[in-house]
Each structure stands twice: as C-alpha cells, then as structure tokens.
Amino acid sequence: MFFAIPVLVPAQSKSLDQIIDAKISKMSLNEKVGQLFIVGFPHTRTNKDFEKFIQDYKPGSFLLFKRNIQSLEQVKKLNEDLYKISYNSTKLPPLIAIDQEGGAVSRLPIQPNPPNALAIGQTQSKELSEEMGYQTGLFLREVGFNMNLAPVLDVADPYTSSFIGVRSFGSDPTLVKEIGTAYAKGLLRSKVIPTAKHFPGTGNVKADPHNVVVNNVSSESSLKAKDLIPFEGYSSLGSNVAVMLSHSIYPALDPKREPASFSSKISTELLRNDLKYTGLVITDDLLMKGSKDILRPDQAALKALLAGADIVMMTWSIHDQERAIKTVRSAVEDGRLSVDLLNQKLHRILVAKAFANIYRRNPNLPSLIAKGTLSSQDYVSLEERVLNENIRTNLNSKTAVTDTSEPERAPAANPEVVCAFSPSFDFLTSFKNASADTVHTKQLFGSSKTSDILNPAKGNACEVILVAVTGPKTARLLRTLPTQIKKNTVVINLGSPGLVPKEHPYRKLVQLYFNHKDSGKKVAEHLSEILNSQSESFALRD
C-alpha cells in the first residue's frame, strides 16, 4: 500500500493531465489549501494530536530533520505512518522530504559517509555526480522519502566566507550547472523529486538567512553571468523537479526589495517566464529569521503564493502552520488568491506526486539497511571512484573527465622517508598500509603541539613531512611550524578549503575536501606523483 496511489496513475485512454484535473475538481477547499504546505514537526513517531492536525488541515507534504530520526527502522515506520494518515485524510500521496545533500548536511546514517558537493564537483565528472544522485535516491526510497532538498546550485568560491561553503559544487557556474543537473538526473532515475536551491543564487554572501535578513548586492549582469547559469540548465529537466527560493533580497532583480520568496519579479517573471521553468516552486522555511523578521509567517505564506510559489515551507510551530493555512484559505474565499491560480499550483503539485508514485521497489533486491546504516556495494565502489577522481584532478590539468576508471595500483615505493601526521586514525592507517616501510605515522589531537610533529620527524630523519588536515585545530598547528619545515611539508586538506589558503608556504598542497576512509591509501598510491609534480598547489578548476 505504501506506494499504491491508483487515483494518480494514468489509466485507459485518459491523460495524466485529465486525471489530475478531474481530481482537482472534486477536492474541497480545505484539501486544496493543505496541498500548498510542506510542514515540519518535532516528533519521532505520530501521535493523536499530530494525526488530528493532519486530518483537520490536510498538509500535502512533510519535511524531516535530525530531530525526527532515531534509527533507520524508526524513520521508515514514521514515513509509512505519515503516508497512511495523509492518504486516508486526503486520498493523495504526500511528498516526504529530507535534506540529504552529503557532507555535513546528511540526515541519514550512510556508510561510507557521503562526500560534500565540493568533493563531487572537484571530480568534474557528470557520470559520477549522476550516479551519486541515483544511489542517494535509492537510500531515500529505502526508508520512505520521495523528495530531496538537493542539489545546491549556488555558485560559491570555496575560499570565501560564504555561508554555503562546501555545500556548493564550486565557483565555476558551468561546472555547477553540469554537475548539479547531473546529480538531479540521478535522483530522478530513482523516482525522487530533486529540489535545486537557493534561487536565484546566494553567491559568496557571508550572512545566513537562517539568522538575519540578507541583502545580496550583486548586479543584474553578475547574477545572469554566474548565479543563474546552473538554474538555466536545471530548468531543462521538466516538470518533476522543484526549485527552492532564497529569502535573500536582490535589489538588482526587484527594485521593491522584496525577498525572493515574496517577489513575483523573481519567482514568476525571472524563473517561470525567462528561464521557462515548469516544475514546482517552494519557499525556504518561512520561520527563518530572513523571512520572519520581514513578515509574519501567515502573511508571508500568502504573499509567497501570490508571488509565484506553489508550496510554502513551515518547519516547526504548529500554531503558525494552522494560522497560515487559515489565512490562505480566507484569501481564496474572499478572492485575493483566485481559484484559477490555486488550481494551477495544485496541478503542478499533483504532476510531481504522480511521478513520485510510480516507484516500485524490486522485492527480490536485498535491503540497503545493515547494522543501522544504509550502504551497498555499488555505493561503496562509487565512493572510491569519487575519491580517485579527486586525486586525479588534483594531479592533472583541469579538463573534463571522460574516463573514470582507474587500474589497481601497487603500494608506492617512495625514495624518501615520510612522516605522516593527522587527527584521522583512518587516514594514517590506510596511508601506512599502502606505503613502503619508510613511513612513520603519529596521530594528532586537539591538545597537540608543534613538538608533536617536530620531535618524531627529527627522530625518524624524515625527508618529507605529510600533514592531513581535518579541521581548524590541525590547520593552526600547521601554521606554527618553522619556515624551513613548512617548505618540506606536504599538506593534504581533508576539510574545507579555507583551512589552508591558496597562497601557502608548503612543498605541496592537495585539496581533497573529503575525509574518506581510504583517503590515506589513495594519497600513498599517488605520493610519488604528488612529490614530483611541477605544481605547488592543487585545487578546483578555475
């Protein structure tokens, strides 16, 4: 029953559009208005009060966070219950969404840990990005999700203080378009609705609309030449996709200085008319400071819908959710929100729900849940390929990747004695196991001092010092090394780009941004190439 929605499955000679229009014509006003909301809630299981809220207000979509997830079996049961309660109340399937971007924005336990967008972008491989989207979609479907609030299509320089950081695929708009659109295609292959964010792009803005009202002062020409490029590509994917609006203000695009969520200039004229986008338009959370400090949530919901949004997001307060639904319902009753406009939004929503409903899991396939985590051999192999390509693009010129296969390598036979240091035990272990006998390793901790590197290096007559950075404490320790030692140090950055600057005093810098369990092994296998490369620094394509 969990995915069986006969009311939205095309039958006989009727088209999907005809079936959807017939369904809309029979819906009550309460049912119609509820479909315009995606709501969050604080529970890990349904209860009578929440069931009554669903029955009374009939929200069409749900968004889950870490607070809703205790285990995979628990969240799978929660999603099944949400589905059944929602379907019994509305005779329509809900969209059940989650933020599963990868990296730090990963709500589900997946092994190995999913790479962040920047690590995927650095591969420059559309094939790998699409496959990562597909494998992610399979994991989401395994536990009952049919919508992902990803990919992030913001174009951001990883070396700036942008709040997006490693959530962006990179600073090249064409690369972000190609890699991000490929990721979305992978989600679509698994019958999961992708949600590109945050339109029309956050760029390198430091301020986070979760916390403050944000003004993006980029010029119109800059936005069109950079930030809008990925969304132009994404718009070609058709109707079974979603775009999330930013709460930022864009004076160059809307002289009235309305946040994008409330701006018809941005959500209708730019996105729908200029970019020819036909999918769903969703706001970011209207309870965020970037929205709430400008407009009360219920009024914000109505204004966003009038401006062009199809679905408005409210992730916490049931009181605010109830008030907003009543406000929108009143606006339909008194004509401020026309029935025609309401029905257009519903049609787009039900088209997406029909697509999400055609998923059928092959019962003969093994479960993707094992020992409390999601994983599969295909996914493990994919992660290794992503890591391989990160190494490859660090070493090679930054050209498009077509061949993502890599032969097995023998352990590196390096002519120099290497001492490796890192807080990551996995990195050190895999590095040592894949290296020659002339390697010494030492784990670093938060309390480590410069002497913890210098003394072992001196005692072992190290010709090369290798430091794998995972966070700010290791980066600070690295900066305290004497100048001459720095010149002989190879730095492997497993964390965010800002930990080690572009202009650096080290012998080599390899930017991986990806603390994979086999990162050390791959560095060891390529160490001779790293040491002998003519380039002093390796990073993303310019």
Side-chain angles (χ1 to χ4, degrees), residues 294-351:
I294 292 176
L295 204 57
R296 200 175 69 193
D298 62 314
Q299 295 300 318
L302 176 58
K303 190 164 187 176
L305 292 167
L306 290 170
D310 300 309
I311 297 177
V312 293
M313 181 188 298
M314 305 182 77
T315 66
W316 189 268
S317 167
I318 286 183
H319 171 75
D320 283 325
Q321 292 165 358
E322 291 174 343
R323 188 173 184 176
I325 291 172
K326 290 176 182 177
T327 296
V328 173
R329 188 169 60 207
S330 296
V332 178
E333 291 171 338
D334 64 25
R336 285 175 292 158
L337 176 57
S338 72
V339 173
D340 283 346
L341 184 58
L342 172 62
N343 288 345
Q344 289 173 25
K345 297 178 188 299
L346 287 169
H347 191 98
R348 285 189 287 264
I349 292 167
L350 297 196
V351 165

Side-chain angles (χ1 to χ4, degrees), residues 470-484:
T470 59
K473 290 183 178 179
T474 323
R476 285 195 295 270
L477 183 62
L478 193 64
R479 292 195 294 270
T480 67
L481 293 175
T483 301
Q484 283 304 116

Side-chain angles (χ1 to χ4, degrees), residues 98-102 105 136 140 147-153 169 180 183-184 187 192-197 234 242 244:
I98 191 169
D99 285 287
Q100 187 61 42
E101 298 174 12
V105 186
T136 299
L140 297 187
M147 186 177 206
N148 191 12
L149 302 190
V152 173
L153 294 189
F169 291 107
Y183 188 93
L187 287 170
V192 170
I193 305 290
T195 307
K197 55 193 186 185
Y234 184 81
M244 181 187 291

Side-chain angles (χ1 to χ4, degrees), residues 57-204:
Y57 294 96
K58 306 185 187 307
S61 305
F62 303 93
L63 175 59
L64 273 62
F65 294 91
K66 281 279 192 183
R67 67 183 184 231
N68 304 113
I69 301 171
Q70 292 177 326
S71 69
L72 293 175
E73 293 298 338
Q74 167 266 325
V75 76
K76 185 174 182 178
K77 176 65 164 58
L78 173 60
N79 286 341
E80 289 174 351
D81 290 344
L82 285 175
Y83 182 93
K84 292 173 183 176
I85 296 166
S86 181
Y87 184 72
N88 289 337
S89 176
T90 66
K91 297 300 182 284
L92 285 169
L95 294 176
I96 306 180
I98 191 169
D99 285 287
Q100 187 61 42
E101 298 174 12
V105 186
S106 297
R107 312 298 190 202
L108 296 172
I110 297 174
Q111 288 297 326
N113 293 327
N116 56 49
L118 188 58
I120 296 173
Q122 183 164 245
T123 69
Q124 302 174 30
S125 169
K126 292 184 286 186
E127 175 202 347
L128 291 182
S129 184
E130 181 175 340
E131 188 63 20
M132 185 61 71
Y134 176 64
Q135 294 296 331
T136 299
L138 293 181
F139 289 150
L140 297 187
R141 278 294 192 177
E142 186 78 10
V143 291
F145 293 99
N146 55 17
M147 186 177 206
N148 191 12
L149 302 190
V152 173
L153 294 189
D154 298 307
V155 180
D157 184 341
Y159 285 94
T160 68
S161 55
S162 164
F163 84 93
I164 289 296
V166 296
R167 296 169 62 196
S168 168
F169 291 107
S171 58
D172 180 334
T174 301
L175 178 70
V176 174
K177 177 185 74 173
E178 293 175 351
I179 299 298
T181 301
Y183 188 93
K185 286 180 179 179
L187 287 170
L188 288 170
R189 277 173 52 203
S190 64
K191 300 301 182 291
V192 170
I193 305 290
T195 307
K197 55 193 186 185
H198 306 80
F199 188 81
T202 62
N204 294 322

